[in-house]
Amino acid sequence: MGRLFPLISTLALNGGVLSSQSLDQFARSATKMALTHNVIIRGMNSIYLQCQHVTPQMAASFLLYCRCWAEFIQNHHACEEIAYFPIIEKAVGVEGLSEGNLEQHDAFLAGLQRYVYHAQPIQYSGEKLTEIFDSFAATLQSHLTDKVVWIMALSRFQQLDIAAIDNYQENYAGIHATWPILVGNLAETTGLGGRVRNFWLRYVCMLAYRHAWKYSSCTVGGKPKALEGAATSPRDERLKGRDGAIELASGHSSDDSLQV
């Protein structure tokens, strides 16, 4: 089985203990992006660990989870290309500033599309899915890490209101059908924007197709859980580790946890 991929440490952004109040807008934006990217990495690792242990009876629901993970990435990157990168470039007056990110999107797109094509229950092969994953997963993981660093580097443009752009992108993205992938692979210390919204997203929206979301790495409450389709359930921090500046600093949840 291929290697697992490490989570992005949000604490490493500034190299010290942080609280949500001590983050400037660029560190806060980079942290939110890291938290979202850790959802993708947890999802990727959960598929890696389970895909070769899925039985024919499990294949349909597991592959729905797999396809939803891919759609989450596609939606995330489509929103960036429309409602994030162009706005940043216009705000700072530097055309092509985001070009490296776009090139990285293209670098793993063919592999991701091939993965979606083969993530079908007809003649399911976990070995084939792993082989396809191996063709693009490392490139994807590098991109997820590099983009966080890129956001931190935007601090050289002090006139840039990155917080406002983040809010615009989030409103543009809205509530997407792939939210269960976010919820099922999101650490408990990361809020989802208010108690009512948090409850609705974590519990209510997970009811539909819950036979697929059971393959996630976390419970609906955000706690690490044993993997449904794995032969064993290793306690791998790269899969189930907690993230977020508050969590890494104190080891427990806090009312001022970062919101995404």
Side-chain angles (χ1 to χ4, degrees), residues 53-83:
H53 304 287
V54 170
T55 65
Q57 293 74 26
M58 300 162 63
S61 56
F62 176 69
L63 289 171
L64 176 58
Y65 173 72
C66 293
R67 292 193 299 274
C68 192
W69 173 82
E71 190 177 345
F72 179 85
I73 297 172
Q74 291 168 332
N75 182 64
H76 175 62
H77 287 160
C79 289
E80 287 179 335
E81 293 176 10
I82 295 172

Side-chain angles (χ1 to χ4, degrees), residues 87-98:
I87 297 174
I88 290 174
E89 290 188 1
K90 183 177 180 180
V92 301
V94 180
E95 186 177 353
L97 180 65
S98 308

Side-chain angles (χ1 to χ4, degrees), residues 69-197:
W69 173 82
E71 190 177 345
F72 179 85
I73 297 172
Q74 291 168 332
N75 182 64
H76 175 62
H77 287 160
C79 289
E80 287 179 335
E81 293 176 10
I82 295 172
Y84 188 66
F85 294 143
I87 297 174
I88 290 174
E89 290 188 1
K90 183 177 180 180
V92 301
V94 180
E95 186 177 353
L97 180 65
S98 308
E99 192 62 33
N101 289 300
L102 298 176
E103 289 175 355
Q104 288 183 330
H105 285 187
D106 291 339
F108 60 78
L109 180 60
L112 187 64
Q113 290 174 336
R114 184 167 168 248
Y115 160 86
V116 172
Y117 178 80
H118 284 276
Q120 305 296 333
I122 300 175
Q123 296 182 332
Y124 171 72
S125 169
E127 290 79 7
K128 183 67 175 179
L129 209 59
T130 301
E131 175 192 329
I132 296 170
F133 243 129
D134 285 338
S135 72
F136 73 90
T139 304
L140 171 60
Q141 197 272 343
S142 295
H143 165 68
L144 297 176
T145 302
D146 290 348
K147 194 192 298 176
V148 174
V149 177
W150 181 82
I151 293 171
M152 283 298 296
L154 293 175
S155 61
R156 68 187 185 275
F157 301 108
Q158 284 298 310
Q159 79 277 18
L160 178 64
D161 189 351
I162 191 66
I165 294 173
D166 284 347
N167 289 334
Y168 177 79
Q169 183 198 11
E170 290 165 13
N171 290 332
Y172 178 87
I175 304 298
H176 194 263
T178 59
W179 269 81
I181 288 292
L182 173 69
V183 174
N185 292 288
L186 187 66
E188 62 183 316
T189 53
T190 309
L192 289 166
R195 292 185 178 181
V196 173
R197 188 171 186 260

